[in-house]
Amino acid sequence: MTGTWPAGRLVLRRHFMRDNLLARVWAGRVAADDDTGLWLWIATGSDYRDIGAADGRAFREVPFGEWGRTGKALKSLTWRNDVLMLHPRAGAYSLWFFFSPTGDFTGWYVNLEEPVTRWDDGAAAGIDTVDQDLDIVVAPDRTWRWKDEDEFADHLAHPDIYWVDDPESVWAEGKRVVGLIESAAFPFDGTGCDFRPSPSWTAPTSLPAGWDRPRA
């Protein structure tokens, strides 16, 4: 693991699929990098990349059984949310804090994923992970629901294509996080819900050089 990064540094968050296929890339500002984890601010208007079919279909528009033989392309898109992302020091998930355009906290999103791997090339730095598809949506009052469990099951039916080898561990981590939600334990104790980014942090309108480097 690299050392800690200073607040304001632009770093990349990258998702990979099977065979180290780059699938999604954001650029965000380091909000904090401390004992609780790495906090990244992804601002509305930021450039990002998202994988889809080369014929223009979005990933979810392609039947998953056909994904392995479908031509693929990374598309340049514009991010439309203000999100603070926590990557905890321990745990196989990231936690996304969503904010309204006026800065009000609107809810959490638990993205179950492999623990991130950090890398730092000097001019560019980032974290790499594999999204495990199963998610949890959490309201400000901590009521919660599973998300994409049907998609998770559908993908698991295609082990020759899918990138999750141990679904039981994904469910177990999700249930562990549910325990944190229901007990209002960190990071669901209000930490980060009043976050405000520095006015000097402009949204990156293009990804920095090195965004497509090999997976760490």
Side-chain angles (χ1 to χ4, degrees):
M1 182 176 114
T2 67
T4 58
W5 291 323
R9 182 171 185 183
L10 191 67
V11 301
L12 297 159
R13 173 183 158 91
R14 307 192 304 169
H15 289 185
F16 287 83
M17 293 180 171
R18 192 183 183 97
D19 298 325
N20 295 326
L21 176 65
L22 184 59
R24 182 173 277 197
V25 187
W26 292 267
R29 303 280 179 185
V30 174
D33 192 6
D34 54 28
D35 291 344
T36 63
L38 174 64
W39 301 74
L40 293 183
W41 175 254
I42 313 291
T44 293
S46 298
D47 180 39
Y48 76 105
R49 299 290 189 277
D50 200 17
I51 201 166
D55 61 14
R57 286 178 294 168
F59 170 70
R60 283 178 165 157
E61 295 174 336
V62 180
F64 192 67
E66 300 175 9
W67 181 246
R69 59 181 182 271
T70 298
K72 302 168 183 65
L74 279 168
K75 303 173 185 178
S76 178
L77 302 168
T78 301
W79 187 246
R80 298 298 185 189
N81 294 285
D82 284 331
V83 185
L84 180 66
M85 297 183 180
L86 168 63
H87 307 84
R89 295 293 179 196
Y93 72 100
S94 61
L95 182 62
W96 304 10
F97 298 66
F98 280 87
F99 295 87
S100 73
T102 57
D104 297 317
F105 172 69
T106 60
W108 296 278
Y109 187 92
V110 179
N111 198 72
L112 294 167
E113 62 191 38
E114 292 185 5
V116 298
T117 300
R118 295 191 184 207
W119 53 270
D120 193 336
D121 296 337
I127 51 175
D128 292 349
T129 187
V130 174
D131 190 342
Q132 297 169 325
D133 294 328
L134 185 65
D135 304 304
I136 309 169
V137 177
V138 188
D141 65 358
R142 299 183 186 84
T143 54
W144 63 271
R145 62 179 174 84
W146 296 108
K147 182 177 180 291
D148 295 335
E149 59 268 49
D150 292 341
E151 179 180 277
F152 187 49
D154 176 59
H155 291 182
L156 287 167
H158 302 278
D160 55 326
I161 302 172
Y162 199 29
W163 42 88
V164 172
D165 298 322
D166 186 0
E168 290 79 13
S169 68
V170 178
W171 278 108
E173 177 69 346
K175 292 172 183 176
R176 184 186 74 84
V177 175
V178 166
L180 300 177
I181 297 167
E182 293 182 339
S183 61
F186 178 84
F188 301 95
D189 59 353
T191 302
C193 294
D194 59 353
F195 177 77
R196 296 293 184 272
S198 168
S200 66
W201 293 355
T202 56
T205 55
S206 62
L207 296 180
W211 66 266
D212 55 352
R213 78 187 292 278
R215 181 180 174 185

